[in-house]
Amino acid sequence: EAGVVQSPRYKIIEKKQPVAFWCNPISGHNTLYWYRQNLGQGPELLIRYENEEAVDDSQLPKDRFSAERLKGVDSTLKIQPAELGDSAVYLCASREFSYNEQFFGPGTRLTVL
Amino acid sequence: AQSVTQLDSHVSVSEGTPVLLRCNYSSSYSPSLFWYVQHPNKGLQLLLKYTSAATLVKGINGFEAEFKKSETSFHLTKPSAHMSDAAEYFCVVSDEYGGATNKLIFGTGTLLAVQP
């Protein structure tokens, strides 16, 4: 069974440019999470989806960040415009409703110059 | 609010010697606790989890952790380190009563180095 897939794995952009990250969760997992991991820190939750509904986006900086999960499967996280402080690894995770474990993708490492 | 504190940012051991990675938690109710491992350029992998069953939890690759409520600790141990154990380890608490992993709260991580 394939794990959580994320692309791209690496992205380098200049500040003020837009950027988007894509996540394909494990098949059948209806809960999807986006985390941000700053250098030397643990991941922090940005947003959680139950199917296509964002049920916890309290930590998402809504002035520049947006996310969608239109059909309740794949998800996209966007930053527009990017700032230097957005440099981090963006992790996607998914969970099957009845199972108490989140499965993580390899992440996208974003560098903003 | 839930939180975890990892007491060591770096731990270095020799191959074949025991590993101890320390974690203390804060929780207003009986928590669900996890240890995750992150190898370079790879995703986070669950090592083990505690969800109010046995206090001594066995995980993958020979790791285990003991939940001690009186000490609010959940330290990770392994009897004999292997070179492949070199990675970053995260102690994690779930913020949902009953153990549903709706929001995981991560510690700052402990980087384990294994010397030959």
Side-chain angles (χ1 to χ4, degrees):
Chain A
E1 179 182 290
V4 176
V5 179
Q6 291 188 247
S7 69
R9 292 294 310 277
Y10 304 90
K11 189 73 176 179
I12 300 174
I13 61 171
E14 294 188 347
K15 63 181 180 181
K16 300 185 181 180
Q17 294 300 306
V19 65
F21 315 123
W22 175 80
C23 172
N24 181 235
I26 293 172
S27 177
H29 285 198
N30 59 328
T31 307
L32 184 145
Y33 310 78
W34 282 102
Y35 289 84
R36 177 169 60 187
Q37 184 176 17
N38 292 314
L39 187 65
Q41 301 292 318
E44 294 180 325
L45 181 70
L46 291 173
I47 189 168
R48 170 171 66 96
Y49 282 92
E50 295 289 348
N51 299 305
E52 64 275 8
E53 182 182 0
V55 296
D56 183 359
D57 64 355
S58 57
Q59 303 286 70
L60 191 72
K62 298 181 183 63
D63 57 337
R64 296 183 301 106
F65 285 65
S66 65
E68 61 183 15
R69 194 185 183 199
L70 293 175
K71 296 182 179 179
V73 180
D74 295 3
S75 177
T76 303
L77 178 69
K78 298 179 182 178
I79 308 174
Q80 183 171 12
E83 297 179 351
L84 295 176
D86 296 331
S87 295
V89 175
Y90 291 83
L91 295 164
C92 180
S94 69
R95 179 176 72 93
E96 196 265 341
F97 179 76
S98 60
Y99 192 54
N100 189 18
E101 180 179 347
Q102 293 184 27
F103 293 83
F104 285 82
T108 296
R109 183 177 297 277
L110 174 66
T111 301
V112 181
L113 303 176
Chain B
Q2 319 293 84
S3 67
V4 289
T5 301
Q6 293 185 244
L7 301 170
D8 306 292
S9 58
H10 292 82
V11 170
S12 182
V13 301
S14 298
E15 191 175 20
T17 64
V19 175
L20 170 64
L21 305 183
R22 299 182 294 165
C23 173
N24 286 109
Y25 70 90
S26 174
S27 175
S28 54
Y29 45 77
S30 184
S32 291
L33 292 160
F34 310 79
W35 277 97
Y36 277 83
V37 61
Q38 188 174 38
H39 288 92
N41 299 316
K42 291 190 177 181
L44 288 155
Q45 182 183 19
L46 181 66
L47 276 179
L48 50 80
K49 60 185 177 184
Y50 166 78
T51 54
S52 75
T55 56
L56 182 62
V57 182
K58 294 187 183 299
I60 61 172
N61 300 334
F63 284 94
E64 62 182 36
E66 186 171 7
F67 174 73
K68 292 187 177 180
K69 186 176 180 179
S70 61
E71 299 176 9
T72 62
S73 69
F74 189 58
H75 301 334
L76 182 71
T77 60
K78 183 174 181 178
S80 176
H82 192 272
M83 295 297 290
S84 61
D85 294 328
E88 186 144 30
Y89 292 79
F90 291 95
C91 182
V92 183
V93 64
S94 169
D95 80 331
E96 291 284 340
Y97 178 74
T101 56
N102 283 328
K103 180 175 179 178
L104 299 182
I105 299 166
F106 285 75
T108 52
T110 298
L111 188 62
L112 176 65
V114 182
Q115 309 299 327

